[in-house]
C-alpha cells in the first residue's frame, strides 16, 4: 500500500531570529531558513524519517510554490501538486533571544472551482485499493467545509483508505464520510461534541465509542504531554506521554499521523502502531520547529511506551 498526503494550503515556512522583536520599528532578521511546510507535508517528512515513502500532493503556486517543490525534491519526497494561479503563502516565524516566538501567517491563495476539479481528477487517478490518503490541515479560501467529505467519498469509491486530521466544520462534515482513521486532539474532539475543553471532561472514551458507532475505523486522541488514547473496535488503551525534554511541540500531531500511516502500510498491529505513534510524536517534541525526529531517536524511545487498557 502507498501513502498519498494531501496538503490543500501548504506554506513556505520562513524561520528567522533576532535579538528582540520591536513592534512598530525596523527589525533586521538573522539566520533566515526556508522550508516546505503544511500539515500533509509534515506527515510526508515523518514517513521519510521512518524510512518509508509517500507522495505529497495538493496545491502550490508562484515562486514560493516552486520553492516547496524544490525543497521536497531535495529531501527525497516524491510530489505531484496542482499548480494554481496565486502564490503559495509564506509563514514567517521569528524567534527572539529570550525564546519568544512570533508567527506571521499569510492566508494563502484562493482556490477556484477549475483548480479544485483538477485536484479531484488527480486524486481519482491515484486512488486504488492499494492507496492510503492522508487529508490534513486547514482549507484554503474558496473551498467549503464539505471539501474533505467529498474527497473521502471519492477515494473510498476507488477502494482506497482515508485518514483525516482536521478541525472545526471541515472535520465535522468529513466524519459523515466515515474516514478510516482520525486524530483529533482533545480540544478538537470536545469541540465536535459541543463541549468546552476546560469543563473538566476526563473520560473521552464514550465520545470515541460514539464515533466508532458512526462508522469511523480507528481513532487516536492526542492530549499533548498527557499522551494519547487509541480506540478501535477491538481494543482501547491509553499511552501516557513520554517524558522528554520538550523543545517545540509544533507538529507533534503531524508526526503522530505520519507514524500511524507508516505503521498502517507496514501492517503493524494496533498496539505496535500506537508505540510507533507515541515514540515518533515524543521525538518530534525534542526537535526544533516541525523537524521530524530521526529513526534512531524514535527507536530509542519505543521501549519506553506504556499501555493502560481501558
Ligand atoms: N510535551 C510533550 N511531551 C511528550 N510528548 C508530547 C508532548 N507534547 C506532545 N507530545 C506527543 O505528541 C502527541 C501529539 O501532540 P498534541 O496533542 O499536542 O497534537 P496536536 O495538538 O494535534 O499538535 P499539532 O496539530 O500542532 O501537530 C501527543 O499525543 C504526545 O504523544
Ligand atoms: Mg493537530
Amino acid at each position: 500500500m502507498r501513502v498519498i498526503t494531501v496538503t490543500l494550503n501548504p506554506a513556505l515556512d520562513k524561520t528567522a531570529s533576532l535579538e528582540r522583536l520591536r513592534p512598530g520599528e525596523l527589525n533586521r532578521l538573522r539566520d533566515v531558513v526556508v522550508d516546505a511546510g503544511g500539515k500533509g507535508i509534515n506527515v510526508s517528512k515523518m514517513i521519510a524519517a521512518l524510512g518509508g515513502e509517500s507522495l505529497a500532493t495538493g496545491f502550490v503556486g508562484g515562486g514560493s510554490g516552486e520553492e516547496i517543490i524544490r525543497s521536497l525534491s531535495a529531501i527525497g519526497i516524491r510530489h505531484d501538486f496542482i499548480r494554481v494561479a496565486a502564490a503559495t503563502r509564506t509563514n514567517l516565524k521569528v524567534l527572539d533571544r529570550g525564546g519568544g516566538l512570533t508567527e506571521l501567517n499569510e492566508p494563502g491563495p484562493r482556490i477556484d472551482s477549475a483548480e479544485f476539479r483538477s485536484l479531484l481528477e488527480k486524486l481519482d487517478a491515484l486512488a486504488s485499493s492499494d492507496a492510503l490518503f492522508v487529508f490534513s490541515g486547514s482549507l484554503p479560501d474558496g473551498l467549503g467545509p464539505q471539501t474533505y467529505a467529498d474527497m473521502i467519498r471519492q477515494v473510498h469509491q476507488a477502494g482506497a483508505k482515508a485518514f483525516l486530521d482536521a478541525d472545526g466544520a471541515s472535520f465535522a462534515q468529513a466524519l459523515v464520510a466515515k474516514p478510516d482513521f482520525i486524530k483529533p486532539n482533545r480540544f478538537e474532539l470536545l469541540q465536535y461534541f459541543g463541549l468546552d475543553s476546560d469543563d473538566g471532561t476526563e473520560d473521552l472514551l464514550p465520545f470515541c465509542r460514539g464515533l466508532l458507532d458512526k462508522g469511523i475505523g480507528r481513532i487516536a486522541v492526542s492530549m499533548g504531554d498527557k499522551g494519547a488514547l487509541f480506540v478501535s473496535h477491538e481494543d482501547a488503551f491509553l499511552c501516557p506521554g513520554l517524558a522528554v525534554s520538550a523543545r517545540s511541540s509544533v507538529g507533534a500531531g503531524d508526526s503522530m499521523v505520519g507514524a500511524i500511516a507508516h505503521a498502517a502500510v507496514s501492517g503493524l498491529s494496533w498496539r505496535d502502531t500506537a508505540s510507533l505513534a507515541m515514540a515518533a510524536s515524543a521525538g518530534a517534541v525534542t526537535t526544533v520547529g516541525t523537524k521530524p525526529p530521526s529513526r534512531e531517536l524514535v527507536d530509542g524511545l519505543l521501549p519506553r511506551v506504556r499501555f493502560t487498557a481501558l
Side-chain angles (χ1 to χ4, degrees):
M1 203 158 42
R2 57 207 190 96
V3 180
I4 298 132
T5 63
V6 181
T7 312
L8 301 179
N9 197 9
L12 196 62
D13 283 332
K14 186 176 277 193
T15 311
S17 57
L18 41 62
E19 267 306 302
R20 191 163 68 84
L21 187 70
R22 294 187 177 84
E25 290 180 32
L26 174 66
N27 291 273
R28 291 190 191 278
L29 300 173
R30 286 194 314 251
D31 314 321
V32 180
V33 177
V34 290
D35 197 13
K39 296 186 86 67
I41 288 175
N42 294 342
V43 169
S44 278
K45 287 183 182 174
M46 184 68 238
I47 293 171
L50 291 172
E53 275 193 23
S54 68
L55 177 75
T57 187
F59 298 113
V60 291
S64 46
E66 293 312 315
E67 261 193 83
I68 289 194
I69 296 297
R70 267 201 300 280
S71 151
L72 290 176
S73 294
I75 53 178
I77 292 176
R78 290 191 307 128
H79 48 77
D80 187 3
F81 280 82
I82 299 290
R83 264 36 177 217
V84 296
T88 294
R89 62 194 170 138
T90 297
N91 289 344
L92 178 61
K93 298 168 206 303
V94 181
L95 194 68
D96 66 35
R97 252 168 67 103
L101 178 69
T102 304
E103 296 190 67
L104 301 163
N105 285 4
E106 293 179 10
R110 185 181 178 82
I111 302 302
D112 69 28
S113 54
E115 291 165 340
F116 184 56
R117 269 199 309 280
S118 301
L119 182 64
L120 288 181
E121 280 162 22
K122 170 114 34 210
L123 297 188
D124 204 35
L126 294 168
S128 71
S129 57
D130 199 35
L132 188 172
F133 287 84
V134 180
F135 298 103
S136 51
S138 57
L139 300 177
D141 256 10
L143 300 186
Q146 78 297 340
T147 299
Y148 282 139
D150 291 346
M151 290 177 161
I152 292 168
R153 283 195 193 96
Q154 183 181 312
V155 303
H156 270 168
Q157 261 168 24
K161 295 228 175 310
F163 282 21
L164 173 74
D165 181 9
D167 69 350
S170 68
F171 174 69
Q173 295 212 17
L175 294 192
V176 181
K178 303 178 184 171
D180 300 277
F181 168 77
I182 57 173
K183 193 221 67 67
N185 61 28
R186 180 175 180 275
F187 173 85
E188 290 157 356
L189 181 75
L190 291 174
Q191 186 187 52
Y192 171 74
F193 285 99
L195 296 171
D196 193 321
S197 57
D198 294 330
D199 72 356
T201 306
E202 286 294 336
D203 187 8
L204 301 177
L205 190 59
F207 299 108
C208 295
R209 296 240 188 261
L211 291 175
L212 291 184
D213 290 342
K214 283 184 196 251
I216 315 292
R218 290 172 164 189
I219 305 171
V221 183
S222 65
M223 305 180 295
D225 61 357
K226 295 203 173 54
L229 209 62
F230 294 85
V231 185
S232 74
H233 286 286
E234 302 79 45
D235 205 3
F237 47 86
L238 168 84
C239 294
L242 302 186
V244 288
S245 66
R247 212 180 252 144
S248 156
S249 68
V250 185
D254 303 336
S255 296
M256 182 168 255
V257 174
I260 293 173
H262 183 64
V265 300
S266 310
L268 298 194
S269 69
W270 188 222
R271 290 243 167 181
D272 288 345
T273 298
S275 286
L276 194 64
M278 291 308 297
S281 59
V285 169
T286 68
T287 67
V288 182
T290 58
K291 194 171 147 44
S294 67
R295 177 87 225 192
E296 295 69 46
L297 180 59
V298 175
D299 285 342
L301 291 167
L302 276 174
R304 289 173 43 195
V305 179
R306 295 286 173 268
F307 300 88
T308 308
L310 298 171

